[in-house]
Every structure is written in structure tokens, then in C-alpha cells.
Amino acid sequence: MKNKLLLIVIFLFSSVVIVNAQIAGNWKPTGPILFPINASGQIHGIGRITQLKFHPSNPVKMYATSASGGLWISNNEAQSWQKTGTDNLPRTGCASICIDHTNDQVLYLGTGDPNYYSQGFGVWKSTNGGANWSQSNAGIGNRMAVELLMSPSNRNILVAATNDGIWKSTDAGATWTVKKSGGDFKDMIFKPVVNSTTIYAVTSTQFFRSTDMGDTWSLIALPGSGISGGGRVAVSKADPNAVYLTFVGNFASGIATPVLKSTNSGDSFVIVKAAGSPNLNGYNENESGQGNYNYSIIGDPQNANTLYVSGHCIWKSTNGGVSWTRLTSWYEKIHTDMHDFEFSPADATKLFNINDGGVWLTTNGGINWTAKSDGLETTECYHSGQSPLRKDMNYIGTQDNGELYYSNTTWYTNRGGDWNSKIEMDYQNATMAYYTENGRRRSFSQGEQAWAIPVPTGNNVELEFTPLQTNVAFVSQNDVYRTTNLTSNPPAWTKITNVNKLIKAIESSQADVNIFYAVTQDGQVLRTDNALSATPTFVTLTAPAATGARASITGIKNDANVVYITCGPKVFRSSNKGSSWTDITGTLPSINIIKIYHDPYSTDESVYIGMGTGVYYRNNTMNNWVNFSSGLP
């Protein structure tokens, strides 16, 4: 009996070891999780939300899909948000959500990015409230569903408006058949009556109506000009026969944002606002905007003559769309780049707007807005810079929400807009961030200052600091430059190579500051052993594989002869400073490696690589790589 128990223990221990060897790591989100504190000059945000819906019967339960952060649920009317199991999907960009009105544990999710109109992996289904998901796209394939509607009287019937036609399922998403072939659909909505079977749908240029729960669709002729650029549709429970349409139109041609109205359930339309000024989709009434990416319309459920439109600003009409008043400016009150509205089903004084900054609420008819985005981990990061001196000091550049920095567990917004510069941090000032995009540097305690770099700015620039001499830095694009007076303004730069070819990666040895590597796009590795001399001498070595797509390189802290290089999807190790290489790729996925890092505190050559499938780890006692991605989306 004792031997049998011992065998069981050994088996269980072996199983744990195998599992841990396959997926190790213990990643946890740093955020932003709570809405950032604003230190910029314009309204700020947390991340792009693509759709918002209320629970069918619980007016304080809400669902929000995001552009790259999956599906989120609030149980307290957007006071806080909790993640679902969409972190485990192959791609976390989500376009639409449908909640079963008889059982809210059943959810349907349209994947893809509806704002950039890029498809994902079709429709997915959860039967446990979003904790787990399975693909539910037989027939519909990977098409992106910009909207998913469920029949009010039959939970098994679903209709999907996609980037390629309208599709229907009669078996709870198990299979789908096409009902309207073709069409880049932008919006779809029920006629607001009990057990409705009438659905309205709109593309970039056309309006369709179905009166039989999506089985057949009729194209309805529309009057006037500006019927282009992306359409949206709105209804109101106060008058179920009223239907409003608006299109982005063409600002440059003077035919922007017409508004049309139907009083007979979409059978015919009249023009209530002709195409032209004001441009409801612009940064103001007389400027252009970003087109179909940002546009939405909604009707007040208690007054069919009250309408709201948003693109970059909030607009309101109280006379059925004839005249419009602009309530906000794009840079204040509420984040710009707006995608949708939703009224609270229990309180029509509460109107929510979703945009590139998150979820926002007005309770006074659109005049003032409050962010309701605490908990939405949906920030889209271009680049990050981590201080090597403070683990709680980090800068990120984001899409739509500018630059943020993290200090002492709190996130702050430095600036708005898009900030896609690479960011690096040095070994002297724990709060100083350096940017490759515009040759500037910034400390939250000292402000921004010029920091001239001797190469054209952009994301092909590589920047390297060294802890061995903290006033030394290297920068590269088509050649390598060195400074030894980093903190001067501006620092003096010396050109130390003369190759005039794109450099994919640089590395200052962590064991010897005089050893420096540069990897070129055409498969060469340049190495110098006197990087700090007045005129360093380089030897030209051959990279062990092609470097045109991706390359990165790192030395090892406790052995100046050892260096690792990644070339596309391959990893190699050298024990003689790059003179010869050993392939240690092992069973890594065959996709490009983004970056390799060495842990300088290790004594076993611990290295980590990041790639599209996660983070992987290896040291010099191991024969293969460990997936180090536990906890990562």
C-alpha cells in the first residue's frame, strides 16, 4: 500500500512539473484598471469600447465589448466592470454582444473590430455567463457581426448583420444561413414593439427592411444626396413607426450627414436635414471628421422628436432631426471618437455614450458627461517604457488615449491623441522617458524638454542605455551614434558606424560596456570591443538567419562572450561573441519573435522572448523553452 501511494504521489508531482513546464508565469494586470487621473490639457480616457448593451430584464446589468480587450460586464450600472473569459479567445477584439433574454448565462459574441472594420473569428457562444467560450460560426465563418439580435419570442433564432451580408440561425447559433448576400452592414435594430419581427439594417449606402424576422430583406429607396460614407439607424418606443437614418456623407463635397425620417416603419423616407452644414460628424459643424469610424444616432424612448448624434461631438435635435445643437466640443466634457449610444431601460434620463475613451453617462440631456469606466482594462498600447530603477514607474503610449505614466500604483494621463513613439528609460533618472518619435524626453516631475537625436525620428529608431556607465547612450537607424553626456541638453553625439543600412537591433553588453552589437536588416551582425573609444572598430559577422522581418539581440551579464540573437522566428546562442551560433529555437511557434531579454540578476543565462503567442523562458540548464504566459490574454 505504501509503494502504491508513493507511485501516485510521484505521478501527481510529475504531472504538476509537466504542466508548469508547459505554461509557467504568473502575470497580473498593472492597468490602467481604474480610470486614469488627468494631467493633460484635454479630456482623457481608458480604452476603446465598441458596443454597449443592457441586460434584457436587469436594468443595472450592462455589457461592453472592446476593440482589443474582450467583453466586460457591470452589475451596478457601470460603477465598476469585471472581465469575462474572452482573454482566452484567439483574438480579443470584439464587435457585438447578444444576451439570451430567457437565460443570461447564454451569450453570443461577435468578434472583430467594427471601427476599423476588420473581421475576427466569427461568432462565439458562452453558456456560463462569459467564463468560457466556444466557436459558434458554422456557415457564417469568420465574418464580423457588427450586430447580433435575438428574436423576442424564440431564443433559438438569431440574426447577424456582418461585414458581408445578413445571416440567420434558428438553432441557437449552431449553424447560420445567409439571408441577405453581400453588403457592408454598419447598424441593425428592431422595430420597438412587443415580439417584434421587423428589423431595420443599413450599410454604407443602403437601407434594408425585413418584416419576417430576417428571412427576407427589401431595399428601400432613399431621397436626397449624401447617402454614402456609412449609415446609422435610430428608432423610438414613443413612436414605433418612426425611423431615422443618417449617413456620414461627403464633407469635402458639401454633402455631409443628411438625416432622413420615415413615419411608416421604413416604407418610405423624407429629408429632414439636407446633406451639408452642419456636419454632425465633424470636429465642429464646419470641419471634417474621421468618417464612418465615428458615428451614431439614437432616439429618445420617451419622445420620438428628440434625437442625439455623435461623432466627435454630441449633437441634439428636439424637432425630429430638422435642426441640431452642438452640446460638446471634441476636446472637452467627453472623449472624442464616439461609436454608440444606449439609454437606460429603467430611467430615460440616463444616456450612455461609448467612445475611444470608454463608457460615459449624461443625466441632463447631453450637456455634461461623466466617465463610467473604472475596471475597463481596454487600453490599447503601442509601446511601453519601464524604469530599470523603479518597478512602479512605467510609461505607455496608446492608441486614442495619448501617453500615460504609472507611479505608485496610480495611472496618470500626460497627453491626449495617439502616442505611438517607442519609449525607453535610463539608469539615472527613475522618472525620465525618452521618445524616438520626436526626439524629446519627459519626466513627470521635470516636464518635457528637447532631446535632439542625430537620426530621422520614427519607429525604426533603436535606443540603448547601459547601467555600466549611466551617462552613455546609443541610438541607431541607418547608422549607430553614441553619446557620453546623456544628461546634457542637447547631448553630443558621435557617429560610430558607417554602414548606411537599416539597423534592426542594438545591444550594449551587460558584462562589458565596450562590447556593442548592431544587427542590420540584410543579415549582418556588427560587433565592437572598444565601443567607448574615440573611433570604435567593428568586425562584421554573419547573422545565423534572415533578419529582414524581425531581429533582437542580448548579451549575458556574467559572461561577456555569450550573446543571444533572434532572427525572425529563430533563436540562436553564441559562446564566442557571435563568431559562431547554435540554433536553440526548439519547439517555439514558427512566428516572428518581437524581442529577447536577459535577466541580469540571474546566473544561469535566463532569457525571455516575447512573440504573438506569448512569453517564453529558457536558461542554460534547459533543453527547450517554457511557455511563460500564464495569466496573459
Side-chain angles (χ1 to χ4, degrees), residues 61-332:
K61 189 170 186 177
M62 304 171 71
Y63 302 77
T65 59
S66 66
S68 65
L71 171 69
W72 297 80
I73 297 177
S74 172
N75 292 296
N76 52 13
E77 205 174 28
Q79 296 297 320
S80 62
W81 294 89
Q82 293 78 44
K83 71 167 59 179
T84 62
T86 47
D87 271 2
N88 296 317
L89 295 183
R91 188 174 298 163
T92 53
C94 298
S96 58
I97 181 68
C98 179
I99 307 100
D100 189 323
H101 52 75
T102 67
N103 177 7
D104 68 3
Q105 293 300 293
V106 178
L107 303 173
Y108 299 88
L109 185 70
T111 62
D113 188 338
N115 305 140
Y116 283 105
Y117 226 63
S118 57
Q119 67 185 34
F121 289 87
V123 177
W124 292 67
K125 181 177 181 178
S126 174
T127 57
N128 56 8
N132 302 103
W133 297 87
S134 59
Q135 219 160 7
S136 188
N137 66 345
I140 199 171
N142 286 347
R143 289 172 176 84
M144 175 184 61
V146 299
E147 182 59 284
L148 289 163
L149 300 178
M150 178 180 287
S151 166
S153 59
N154 187 337
R155 67 191 295 257
N156 293 314
I157 296 177
L158 299 144
V159 180
T162 78
N163 60 326
D164 179 26
I166 296 178
W167 298 70
K168 184 173 181 178
S169 173
T170 57
D171 53 12
T175 59
W176 298 82
T177 56
V178 63
K179 297 298 180 179
K180 165 63 185 74
S181 180
D184 59 335
F185 283 88
K186 310 297 184 186
D187 201 4
M188 183 172 71
I189 195 170
F190 272 118
K191 180 178 180 178
V193 295
V194 176
N195 291 328
S196 180
T197 59
T198 297
I199 309 174
Y200 310 117
V202 63
T203 69
S204 291
T205 59
Q206 296 175 315
F207 171 77
F208 294 87
R209 181 182 64 173
S210 172
T211 57
D212 54 10
M213 196 57 214
D215 277 330
T216 60
W217 292 86
S218 300
L219 173 64
I220 307 298
L222 301 175
S225 60
I227 312 300
S228 64
R232 301 293 190 273
V233 58
V235 295
S236 169
K237 290 182 180 179
D239 183 356
N241 293 317
V243 184
Y244 291 94
L245 285 179
T246 185
F247 291 82
V248 173
N250 189 324
F251 174 79
S253 300
I255 49 173
T257 59
V259 180
L260 312 178
K261 182 179 181 179
S262 171
T263 57
N264 54 14
S265 300
D267 191 53
S268 62
F269 286 84
V270 297
I271 301 168
V272 291
K273 175 200 174 289
S277 184
N279 181 14
L280 306 180
N281 183 248
Y283 286 100
N284 63 42
E285 48 269 49
N286 300 311
E287 292 185 6
S288 64
Q290 292 181 359
N292 180 67
Y293 168 65
N294 313 300
Y295 205 43
S296 61
I297 185 172
I298 196 168
D300 189 316
Q302 294 186 334
N303 186 339
N305 286 314
T306 298
L307 302 168
Y308 296 86
V309 162
S310 71
H312 296 289
C313 310
I314 303 291
W315 291 83
K316 185 176 184 178
S317 173
T318 57
N319 56 6
V322 176
S323 59
W324 293 85
T325 300
R326 180 165 60 86
L327 301 180
T328 66
S329 297
W330 69 267
Y331 53 85
E332 61 180 4

Side-chain angles (χ1 to χ4, degrees), residues 557-594:
K557 174 68 174 177
N558 62 354
D559 191 337
N561 292 308
V562 176
V563 61
Y564 287 72
I565 190 172
T566 70
C567 306
K570 296 284 190 177
V571 191
F572 302 85
R573 178 185 182 273
S574 172
S575 59
N576 51 19
K577 295 192 287 187
S579 295
S580 61
W581 300 92
T582 300
D583 189 339
I584 59 167
T585 306
T587 57
L588 285 174
S590 185
I591 60 174
N592 283 331
I593 295 164
I594 298 169

Side-chain angles (χ1 to χ4, degrees), residues 439-522:
R440 302 185 71 81
R441 58 188 175 191
R442 179 187 186 101
S443 166
F444 74 83
S445 60
Q446 299 174 12
E448 189 167 84
Q449 58 187 238
W451 181 66
I453 54 178
V455 296
T457 61
N459 279 323
N460 285 326
V461 175
E462 301 294 328
L463 183 59
E464 176 81 352
F465 302 110
T466 171
L468 303 179
Q469 290 200 28
T470 59
N471 217 24
V472 170
F474 300 89
V475 67
S476 71
Q477 192 174 65
N478 291 331
D479 269 299
V480 180
Y481 295 77
R482 179 201 66 208
T483 184
T484 57
N485 60 348
L486 176 63
T487 55
S488 298
N489 191 14
W493 294 95
T494 300
K495 184 179 179 182
I496 62 172
T497 66
N498 191 27
V499 295
N500 193 27
K501 60 181 69 173
L502 183 61
I503 294 171
K504 303 291 286 188
I506 59 177
E507 162 75 0
S508 178
S509 170
Q510 301 182 52
D512 183 346
V513 73
N514 274 297
I515 300 175
F516 179 87
Y517 298 89
V519 184
T520 63
Q521 187 177 31
D522 62 350

Side-chain angles (χ1 to χ4, degrees), residues 7-49:
L7 286 172
I8 292 173
V9 170
I10 291 173
F11 173 77
L12 290 174
F13 177 77
S14 300
S15 299
V16 171
V17 170
I18 291 169
V19 170
N20 285 342
Q22 290 172 340
I23 304 180
N26 184 24
W27 295 89
K28 292 181 172 59
T30 300
I33 299 174
L34 299 180
F35 199 71
I37 295 174
N38 198 4
S40 70
Q42 68 182 64
I43 199 69
H44 64 309
I46 194 169
R48 180 157 55 100
I49 302 301

Side-chain angles (χ1 to χ4, degrees), residues 374-397:
D374 277 349
L376 286 173
E377 299 167 32
T378 56
T379 308
E380 297 175 275
C381 299
Y382 286 117
H383 296 286
S384 170
Q386 170 64 48
S387 170
L389 303 176
R390 277 179 55 181
K391 66 179 181 180
D392 70 331
M393 191 70 235
N394 183 280
Y395 284 77
I396 57 173

